[in-house]
Amino acid sequence: DSPKGPFKQIDKKPILVSEKAIDNSLFIDDDGTPYLTFVRFNDGNNIWVAEMEKDLITMKHETMRPCIRVTELWEEDLGRVTEGSFITKHNGIYYMTYSANDFRSQAYGVGYATATSPFGPWTKYEKNPILQKPAELVGVGHSAMFRDKDGQLKIVFHAHHDKENIHPRVMYIANVEFTDDETPKMKISEDIIYPKLIN
């Protein structure tokens, strides 16, 4: 009933009963249709999407589709991993940011792909990754986006604690801008905001 909770799980079972899955992210389209992206473990970590019922907890399993899998060299450090997806929509185009490489790698980074539907097909940006080792940070990834009170689009992501220690990871925020040709360009300033530590 409130973002402050309390949160209760009425039906105590996972959305996907028959398999393990991680990194779920909810996207609600302009027409109100909800979609869930998540990671399945087949041929490494790869990203899938499915439409959800209006209750936002019941998956339409017949709609499950693959989105992103490892296809590029920058995505294979310490394992075949694409994960941490997040969809945003700009001028009718869907943008999915995703992380690649094992999170323990200092080369963990963020790329993105575009599509004209949440079901894809998704086309990876040819100059990925767009966020990797910015401002002396390492292990950056698993991003999400939001708009601040002024309407500025922001990206939030975590990084390793420092170049010698992965944990406790630190969370950072930076601006996101779209160029005229609809290519999102990340601007990472030297005064990156880091509001809290995460485990």
Side-chain angles (χ1 to χ4, degrees), residues 98-113:
Y98 67 95
S99 296
N101 302 314
D102 190 288
F103 77 91
R104 293 167 292 188
S105 168
Q106 291 194 355
Y108 197 53
V110 176
Y112 79 91

Side-chain angles (χ1 to χ4, degrees), residues 14 33 51 62 82 94 99 127 135 164 167 199:
T33 303
E51 185 178 333
E62 70 278 7
T82 54
Y94 299 86
S99 296
K127 295 182 181 179
E164 286 73 43
H167 301 290
N199 292 322

Side-chain angles (χ1 to χ4, degrees), residues 2 16 39 46 50 55 71 85 87-89 109 137 149 186 189:
S2 166
L16 279 174
V39 169
N46 49 79
D55 63 8
T71 59
S85 57
I87 296 176
T88 191
K89 192 176 183 181
L137 302 177
K149 291 184 290 185
M186 304 293 181
S189 64

